[in-house]
Amino acid sequence: MLPERKRVFEIRCKGTYYFRNFQTFSIIFRNFAKNLAKIPRLDRKRNEFLCFVLDFSYLCREIKIYMEIKKAEFTLSAPMVSMCPKDTKPEYAFIGRSNVGKSSLINMLTNNKKLAKTSATPGKTLLINHFIINNEWYLVDLPGYGFAKRSKKEVAKLEQMIQGYILQREQLVNLFVLVDVRLEAQKIDLEFIEWLGQSSVPFSIVFTKADKLSATKVSQNVEAYKKVLLETWEELPPMFITSAEKKQGRDELLDYIGNINNSLND
């Protein structure tokens, strides 16, 4: 039965293997099956495991093929939601406080250091920036919500732009909220996340700058953040730990986007 075979597979392999393309998987699969076939005697568990491995249809259910970004191009910058692209491609927007590393993360994801403009001065993103990815979906770079040295008039204009896009853009599939993993939970982030929940906006949390701390400290900070959220949230949103410097979390984020796109096409 499938549940039993799946259980044995997880015991033997201790997790799910990831392959970037089908050719890589095919080579590994053939070599693995060939080596197992050389074992003269198999106990019942190993025999069950071998049957499962050789059952190609079952094994394919355990494989995740990561999305590859082959093409990423700037499309347009819009001062308001009504001026965004008119097509119906899904959109994944990125937002965070000033200096959270948003542009660096976008460039890391697209493997293009010049795609999103980075600046030593925080808060330089002032428009809704669309980038077309693989001619299939849009990556959207939104202005930050921790405005850097702006007048009240400018702040009000930016807030209206951000809220207009988030609440009115039907093509928005998921909003990635960027949080600096080095800091404890900030009031401005928590208030923004609470507003997203109240507005029924699908979102995920992306912790940035993980390379600036030890792995242990990163884990501790993320757990502390979860604890704060659970004070008001019954269920936590998806979370990702990233480093633009070391490209950490890139595959996980792209895989998440790819899975959503696949579900939209089903």
Side-chain angles (χ1 to χ4, degrees):
M1 301 293 290
L2 178 57
E4 183 177 353
R5 288 178 175 175
K6 183 176 181 181
R7 178 180 60 80
V8 175
F9 176 76
E10 290 176 344
I11 290 174
R12 290 292 180 182
C13 291
K14 296 182 180 179
T16 303
Y17 283 86
Y18 298 82
F19 301 91
R20 290 189 172 277
N21 56 63
F22 187 78
Q23 183 178 9
T24 301
F25 162 68
S26 299
I27 294 172
I28 294 175
F29 174 76
R30 288 197 301 270
N31 290 337
F32 188 37
K34 184 188 298 184
N35 290 332
L36 278 179
K38 293 179 181 178
I39 301 176
R41 292 185 180 182
L42 296 170
D43 57 29
R44 191 176 67 84
K45 282 188 176 181
R46 286 185 178 178
N47 186 52
E48 180 69 18
F49 175 58
L50 176 61
C51 290
F52 172 64
V53 171
L54 295 179
D55 188 334
F56 190 81
S57 62
Y58 286 141
L59 184 58
C60 283
R61 298 187 184 187
E62 295 298 325
I63 303 302
K64 291 184 179 180
I65 300 177
Y66 283 125
M67 174 195 296
E68 286 290 347
I69 292 184
K70 300 178 181 178
K71 186 178 181 181
E73 294 180 336
F74 171 75
T75 302
L76 59 79
S77 294
M80 59 185 68
V81 65
S82 61
M83 298 178 69
C84 289
K86 303 302 181 183
D87 58 19
T88 59
K89 291 182 177 67
E91 297 182 5
Y92 298 84
F94 290 74
I95 194 171
R97 292 187 303 111
S98 297
N99 203 32
V100 75
K102 176 164 54 69
S103 296
S104 296
L105 179 70
I106 290 173
N107 291 341
M108 181 268 282
L109 287 177
T110 58
N111 202 27
N112 185 339
K113 294 182 179 180
K114 297 181 180 180
L115 191 68
K117 293 182 179 180
T118 58
S119 172
T121 305
K124 284 296 184 180
T125 303
L126 302 177
L127 298 169
I128 303 170
N129 299 307
H130 277 72
F131 303 91
I132 185 69
I133 308 298
N134 294 342
N135 292 321
E136 296 175 353
W137 55 278
Y138 285 105
L139 186 157
V140 183
D141 183 8
L142 294 175
Y145 51 81
F147 307 105
K149 298 181 180 180
R150 300 290 174 190
S151 67
K152 291 183 178 180
K153 184 177 181 179
E154 288 177 313
V155 169
K157 184 178 180 180
L158 286 171
E159 287 181 344
Q160 184 178 13
M161 180 197 305
I162 293 169
Q163 292 180 12
Y165 174 84
I166 293 174
L167 298 179
Q168 300 174 28
R169 188 64 172 169
E170 295 181 358
Q171 292 89 331
L172 176 62
V173 175
N174 189 81
L175 180 67
F176 291 102
V177 181
L178 277 56
V179 174
D180 191 331
V181 76
R182 300 174 297 176
L183 308 177
E184 62 182 24
Q186 302 291 298
K187 181 180 178 181
I188 190 171
D189 290 325
L190 296 175
E191 289 178 347
F192 183 73
I193 290 171
E194 184 67 23
W195 175 75
L196 292 176
Q198 293 173 352
S199 303
S200 300
V201 177
F203 72 96
S204 307
I205 295 177
V206 179
F207 293 99
T208 62
K209 305 186 179 183
D211 59 290
K212 306 300 182 183
L213 300 174
S214 67
T216 300
K217 185 61 176 175
V218 167
S219 179
Q220 290 174 348
N221 287 5
V222 170
E223 289 304 315
Y225 208 97
K226 290 179 180 179
K227 186 176 181 180
V228 172
L229 288 179
L230 287 173
E231 293 177 3
T232 53
W233 288 76
E234 293 183 0
E235 185 177 350
L236 295 175
M239 296 183 177
F240 303 89
I241 299 174
T242 68
S243 164
E245 184 73 21
K246 295 186 177 181
K247 293 192 174 183
Q248 178 183 350
R250 182 177 187 271
D251 288 338
E252 289 77 7
L253 276 170
L254 293 181
D255 184 49
Y256 182 69
I257 292 173
N259 286 336
I260 295 178
N261 284 340
N262 289 337
S263 68
L264 294 175
N265 294 328
D266 288 343

